[in-house]
Amino acid sequence: MLYYSTNKQVSGVSLQEAVVKGLADDRGLFMPDRIKQLPADFYANMDKMSFQEIACAVADAFFGEDVEAGALKNIVCDALDFDTPLVQVTDRIYSLELYHGPTLAFKDVGARFMSRLLGYFIRKQGQHRVNVLVATSGDTGSAVANGFLGVEGIHVYVLYPKGKVSPIQECQFTTLGQNITAVEIDGVFDDCQRLVKTAFMDAELNSHMQLTSANSINVARFLPQAFYYFYACAQLKRMAGITDPVICVPSGNFGNITAGLFGKRMGLPVKRFIAANNRNDIFLQYLNTGIYTPRPSVATIANAMDVGDPSNFARILDLYGNSHQAICADISGFAYTDGQIADTLRSCYRENHYLLDPHGACGYQALKDGLRDGETGIFLETAHPAKFLDTVEGIIGEKVQIPAKLQAFMQGTKQSVPMPNDFGTFKQFLLNQ
Ligand SMILES: *Cc1c(COP(=O)(O)O)cnc(C)c1O
């Protein structure tokens, strides 16, 4: 399968090159040349298949031409050794819990898959050592660091703002050691992101070492997110005999929901999608007006969705041939303030005895507000509520139990490289590695 760029200046790129580069040379995002339909008998039998079996079938459609069958199966089974169960919350609303992986957030799926695919290219195809740079305000850093931990031939540098990530998040990427280096920047998240972006554009640095990104612009992290949409539909069919759900996705950079849109293109019978936003409602404004106006993000209690210029918007436009009308036919949107998110979290806990995290709360509420008569909805619960402990405990007025997986991280010793907010210093540090 070959890949082209959403900016249309680059095409005919191999999977290996698209994964190693992350972003195309024309600064666009890679898209696969074709989106394959899955056969009718797959859909007929989906409800009898496990998560791993379903993921193998979908992975074969994406990557089967470029990765040998046995190796691809191993990558899928090794990366996805946890479940993504569907849980009924109300009569017509189900939660797809994507937080049963190592760092208790959905980003584990893409990060673990990408690390193993890159590892495969390094082993099998003579790819040189790859250096992953990732800027994080918390969640991405932990998923990427843990996903790539111990993978030979890859070194990960996690840049994070000093004193600006929660202690639970910080220990998830500073205590690992091995091929993971945490770089503590004397600045804010935007400074970290600027250092990473400047590094990708620095010719001297790029001739010295192979740099890549591991955020959702990378096809190897982005596409595997389609797997659990298929498994969600399979579980709903098994549990309730329903085959055409509305799926609602708490969205920031829109990588997650775009992977679902790919699933629909492959024949998955999703009736329509809902994008749930916090106050950073750039996409909702686009749906309402047809005009895309990025703006600086504002801080909210659903902070993994604090994005003012969603990077995967370019993929949505490309997928729908730039048609605002076609996009609106498949996706609607809702946005919520912190106060509304807190009210939802509290009332869902009281009424349904189901504890949401602030991101999942946006998804649940958008389904409540958006479901029409006769429809059944699934929202993606993107993180475990204990990852946002202070916020969630403050809202429900009760202690939240911290899962053992999360507690284990907190026992480790913090190691990080302190760094001023200065590209020259950061560049010299990388050149010395
Ligand atoms: C990253 C993240 C999101 C947003 O996902 P996108 O793919 O960027 O839209 C939502 N919720 C949580 C908990 C996240 O970590």
Side-chain angles (χ1 to χ4, degrees):
M1 181 89 70
L2 296 174
Y3 290 78
Y4 66 91
S5 159
T6 52
N7 284 346
K8 305 287 160 71
Q9 303 302 304
V10 171
S11 63
V13 173
S14 70
L15 173 64
Q16 179 169 350
E17 190 183 339
V19 174
V20 170
K21 281 205 161 139
L23 204 60
D25 287 338
D26 65 0
R27 319 300 300 160
L29 277 65
F30 285 115
M31 293 283 280
D33 253 353
R34 278 168 301 128
I35 299 177
K36 291 185 188 170
Q37 291 283 311
L38 289 174
D41 67 321
F42 168 80
Y43 288 112
N45 295 317
M46 192 164 69
D47 55 328
K48 297 169 198 79
M49 294 165 74
S50 70
F51 181 34
Q52 290 186 347
E53 285 167 341
I54 286 175
C56 279
V58 181
D60 182 60
F62 287 139
F63 309 115
E65 295 173 18
D66 304 291
V67 182
E68 179 235 318
L72 186 56
K73 191 167 176 229
N74 288 340
I75 290 171
V76 170
C77 293
D78 185 42
L80 307 180
D81 60 348
F82 52 90
D83 197 19
T84 59
L86 190 70
V87 175
Q88 185 166 18
V89 179
T90 71
D91 235 17
R92 298 195 295 142
I93 297 182
Y94 292 74
S95 167
L96 183 71
E97 293 182 351
L98 297 176
Y99 56 66
H100 296 279
T103 74
L104 310 181
F106 83 94
K107 291 185 175 75
D108 284 328
V109 171
R112 287 169 68 80
F113 186 92
M114 177 183 167
S115 71
R116 281 146 184 85
L117 188 64
L118 247 187
Y120 167 83
F121 286 136
I122 288 170
R123 274 193 321 277
K124 288 276 163 85
Q125 324 243 332
Q127 174 67 47
H128 292 299
R129 176 184 147 127
V130 175
N131 300 279
V132 172
L133 299 186
V134 57
T136 189
S137 53
D139 253 14
T140 304
S142 49
V144 170
N146 284 276
F148 282 76
L149 182 65
V151 179
E152 224 165 291
I154 306 177
H155 200 98
V156 177
Y157 299 90
V158 180
L159 281 72
Y160 72 103
K162 179 180 175 173
K164 304 273 190 322
V165 304
S166 76
I168 291 187
Q169 288 178 321
E170 188 176 13
C171 63
Q172 285 182 291
F173 51 81
T174 58
T175 60
L176 300 169
Q178 296 186 56
N179 60 331
I180 311 298
T181 303
V183 185
E184 190 172 9
I185 304 292
D186 197 359
V188 295
F189 170 67
D190 292 330
D191 297 320
C192 300
Q193 198 152 41
R194 195 175 41 76
L195 288 173
V196 167
K197 281 187 177 160
T198 312
F200 286 137
M201 288 184 295
D202 188 280
E204 187 189 359
L205 202 51
N206 283 275
S207 66
H208 178 79
M209 59 206 298
Q210 179 70 58
L211 299 176
T212 195
S213 72
N215 53 29
S216 58
I217 61 162
N218 198 302
V219 287
R221 215 194 101 185
F222 158 69
L223 288 172
Q225 299 175 146
F227 300 162
Y228 44 71
Y229 286 87
F230 289 82
Y231 188 50
C233 290
Q235 291 181 84
L236 188 65
K237 188 177 169 198
R238 186 155 67 215
M239 289 164 75
I242 292 162
T243 53
D244 59 344
V246 175
I247 299 190
C248 178
V249 188
S251 296
N253 266 319
F254 280 72
N256 202 2
I257 194 170
T258 307
L261 300 173
F262 270 64
K264 189 164 193 229
R265 258 329 141 81
M266 298 165 84
L268 188 66
V270 178
K271 186 168 179 204
R272 57 193 182 88
F273 288 87
I274 299 176
N277 280 154
N278 58 28
R279 278 172 56 221
N280 297 281
D281 63 351
I282 291 82
F283 184 76
L284 177 60
Q285 294 309 324
Y286 166 77
L287 292 177
N288 289 342
T289 64
I291 302 163
Y292 180 72
T293 315
R295 52 172 207 264
S297 64
V298 295
T300 75
I301 57 171
N303 61 12
M305 292 159 36
D306 294 349
V307 180
D309 185 6
S311 49
N312 286 285
F313 183 68
R315 284 196 167 112
I316 297 181
L317 276 182
D318 193 84
L319 199 60
Y320 289 91
N322 292 304
S323 164
H324 177 251
Q325 198 188 348
I327 291 172
C328 290
D330 262 4
I331 320 168
S332 55
F334 290 91
Y336 301 102
T337 64
D338 278 1
Q340 291 171 315
I341 295 170
D343 287 345
T344 295
L345 205 152
R346 194 182 304 109
S347 63
C348 183
Y349 185 58
R350 291 213 183 120
E351 289 160 20
N352 308 312
H353 311 289
Y354 190 80
L355 188 58
L356 298 158
D357 94 294
H359 307 80
C362 293
Y364 170 79
Q365 188 63 44
L367 271 184
K368 266 189 97 168
D369 293 338
L371 274 187
R372 299 172 195 142
D373 282 349
E375 290 180 336
T376 299
I378 296 171
F379 69 97
L380 306 195
E381 178 42 297
T382 47
H384 192 288
K387 290 203 87 168
F388 304 91
L389 199 66
D390 294 344
T391 303
V392 173
E393 288 183 343
I395 292 169
I396 62 169
E398 278 178 37
K399 283 277 167 205
V400 172
Q401 195 153 10
I402 304 179
K405 269 185 220 168
L406 212 48
Q407 252 158 12
F409 285 114
M410 296 161 83
Q411 255 107 64
T413 316
K414 174 182 155 178
Q415 294 169 280
S416 70
V417 179
M419 183 82 55
N421 174 23
D422 168 58
F423 182 67
T425 314
F426 179 54
K427 178 175 169 178
Q428 200 52 52
F429 164 74
L430 287 177
L431 287 172
N432 291 343
Q433 296 290 302

